Amino acid sequence: MRAEAWLFTGVALFFAATGGVYAAYAHDPAGVAALMVSLLMAGLVAAFLWRQAGKGGPRPEDDAEAEVAAAAGRRFSFPARSYAPVTAAAGAGLMGLGTVIGLWLVLIGFGLLVPGVYGFVFAGADYASED
């Protein structure tokens, strides 16, 4: 995970430098806010990846000499058929439309989004295999 962590650290540093230069020369608070939010999001992903790299150790796919069977014990699969993606997408779409049309549509969209996200989070737990 170190390669991914370095990648997102570089992205976060890019947004930090770009945001600093933009804040110095432009007088647009919306652009500065967008660059700072981008910095925070890239930094969050980088911090997660650095933590996982330190906690998990080297992965089999990082070793050029590794065999395919080296990753045999690390299996996790999601169900072939799941309504969670469709439910979450419909809920997010209705919430987006609801910001334009009205609060009632946002509430319906939120009511669809919550079970969709729940399905994403907990659907794979029943299908994990520990061989």
Side-chain angles (χ1 to χ4, degrees):
M1 293 239 181
R2 291 198 189 278
E4 295 93 342
W6 277 115
L7 176 72
F8 277 97
T9 301
V11 170
L13 291 174
F14 170 77
F15 281 127
T18 306
V21 171
Y22 189 84
Y25 290 108
H27 301 293
D28 178 26
V32 174
L35 287 169
M36 289 303 120
V37 167
S38 300
L39 163 70
L40 292 174
M41 289 191 302
L44 179 69
V45 173
F48 171 76
L49 289 172
W50 278 114
R51 180 171 179 187
Q52 291 296 73
K55 189 165 61 170
R59 298 178 297 179
E61 54 264 25
D62 292 336
D63 185 14
E65 302 294 323
E67 297 288 327
V68 174
R74 298 169 42 155
R75 286 184 281 172
F76 189 81
S77 62
F78 287 97
R81 294 185 183 142
S82 174
Y83 294 110
V86 176
T87 307
L94 285 177
M95 285 183 71
L97 279 173
T99 59
V100 176
I101 295 174
L103 178 64
W104 60 274
L105 198 55
V106 172
L107 296 174
I108 294 172
F110 186 74
L112 279 174
L113 184 65
V114 169
V117 170
Y118 182 83
F120 267 126
V121 171
F122 294 110
D126 298 336
Y127 297 95
S129 62
E130 301 277 337
D131 290 334

